[in-house]
Amino acid sequence: MSATARKTALNAEDIRAMKGQRPIVSLTAYTTPMARLMDQHCDFVLVGDSVGMVLHGLSSTLGVTMEMMVMHGAAVARGLSRAMMVIDMPFGSYEEGPAQAFRNAARLMSESGAAAVKLEGGVEMAETIRFLVKRGIPVMAHIGLTPQSINTLGGYKVQGRDAAAQPLIADARAVAGAGAFAVVLEKVPASLADHVTEIIDIPTIGIGASAGCDGQVLVVDDMLGFFTAFKPKFVKRYADLGPTAEAAIAEYAAEVRARSFPAPEHTFADTVPAKTKT
Ligand code: KIV
């Protein structure tokens, strides 16, 4: 059953058409209230598998399941009316081949209400991307640092330096040629990101890449300062809400222990108070 029939104003073709027109703005979201806050400011909202680390305390994205993505995706969809929603395919849900990818992408879209899926990989995923796109599923690709592959990449390192530049360029050409409507470039040298942006005809969405990319995405909990376990160099903290939230929690705890909360204005009388005339 579809979690939402709500269509947002922007779709994959709109995002693709923004290349060369104006920078594309994106953040991740995992909940309805956060999606509502960003709906009018972002062009697309990504329900990233970063949800596993940011909200579920996992040490990587590898443990994220289809069920987690469907649940958070459906929540985000309820908060969007303008921004397009893209949802990550979790590790293990698409790598076996096009048929497995189609089955899980169709489920993610129909049960969450997402308008497109994102999957990690370049040349090796081109066949799968082509298969999905030909069958009605808009795909955003993700190359460079692909966090689902940390065990083969040897950690969260910069990708595409020196001899690794040509394979990254080949990845970008492959996903664009396969029909992806946009591609995330994560943690690659700025000059390489600029070059890729110039040579492919779909938007590049940078994260740890370059201001010259066609758009940018950040993990919302990173940029708001809620996720404090570590801070990648490419994250700019636009607010420091983690410490602010903790201070509020500490104040609440102190007031409960001092019996100063709840105060009279937070409690109820035995009888309905008479209305004061204005
Ligand atoms: O899962 C995620 O949040 C992502 C972004 C970092 C692009 O894939």
Side-chain angles (χ1 to χ4, degrees):
M1 194 179 65
S2 175
T4 174
R6 196 179 308 168
K7 273 183 74 141
T8 58
L10 295 174
N11 60 33
E13 274 317 302
D14 297 320
I15 301 296
R16 183 199 278 265
M18 285 179 197
K19 187 175 179 89
Q21 301 300 313
R22 62 180 176 86
I24 298 163
V25 181
S26 177
L27 287 169
T28 66
Y30 321 107
T31 63
T32 309
M34 201 60 93
R36 283 199 180 117
L37 290 178
M38 56 183 71
D39 187 39
Q40 298 303 314
H41 304 283
C42 289
D43 299 308
F44 74 88
V45 168
L46 172 67
V47 186
D49 61 354
S50 48
V51 68
M53 298 174 73
V54 168
L55 290 195
H56 293 265
L58 299 176
S59 60
S60 78
T61 57
L62 300 183
V64 174
T65 63
M66 285 287 291
E67 287 68 30
M68 287 160 76
M69 295 308 298
V70 164
M71 187 183 71
H72 288 286
V76 169
R78 285 178 213 118
L80 299 180
S81 62
R82 177 187 174 274
M84 178 194 181
M85 177 170 137
V86 180
I87 193 164
D88 257 343
M89 298 200 71
F91 179 62
S93 71
Y94 60 96
E95 298 89 335
E96 282 172 33
Q100 183 213 22
F102 182 83
R103 199 165 50 249
N104 285 319
R107 178 177 166 207
L108 280 178
M109 288 175 70
S110 68
E111 293 186 21
S112 74
V117 298
K118 176 166 83 58
L119 55 81
E120 297 183 4
V123 171
E124 73 284 9
M125 280 300 148
E127 184 195 349
T128 295
I129 293 171
R130 186 170 286 110
F131 188 93
L132 296 182
V133 173
K134 284 220 157 113
R135 286 157 184 78
I137 298 186
V139 178
M140 177 174 286
H142 182 158
I143 63 173
L145 174 64
T146 46
Q148 293 176 7
S149 301
I150 42 157
N151 290 315
T152 46
L153 293 177
Y156 297 95
K157 298 176 186 160
V158 176
Q159 302 294 308
R161 278 193 173 135
D162 306 320
Q166 283 311 318
L168 191 130
I169 290 169
D171 282 339
R173 287 193 198 280
V175 299
F181 71 92
V183 56
V184 170
L185 301 182
E186 180 165 354
K187 214 167 178 182
V188 299
S191 62
L192 179 60
D194 289 343
H195 178 64
V196 168
T197 301
E198 214 173 289
I199 62 168
I200 62 173
D201 62 359
I202 60 171
T204 55
I205 310 297
I207 174 162
S210 164
C213 286
D214 297 300
Q216 304 293 328
V217 63
L218 279 178
V219 170
V220 69
D221 290 66
D222 283 342
M223 58 89 77
L224 291 181
F226 274 127
F227 184 75
T228 51
F230 58 88
K231 187 184 94 58
K233 173 181 156 83
F234 58 73
V235 169
K236 176 174 175 184
R237 286 228 171 106
Y238 285 82
D240 214 5
L241 300 187
T244 305
E246 195 183 343
I249 291 163
E251 189 179 341
Y252 163 75
E255 289 191 2
V256 169
R257 290 189 181 112
R259 298 197 187 281
S260 61
F261 178 84
E265 66 267 29
H266 306 120
T267 62
F268 301 92
D270 291 339
T271 53
V272 181
K275 279 206 177 121
T276 47
K277 286 192 179 150
T278 53

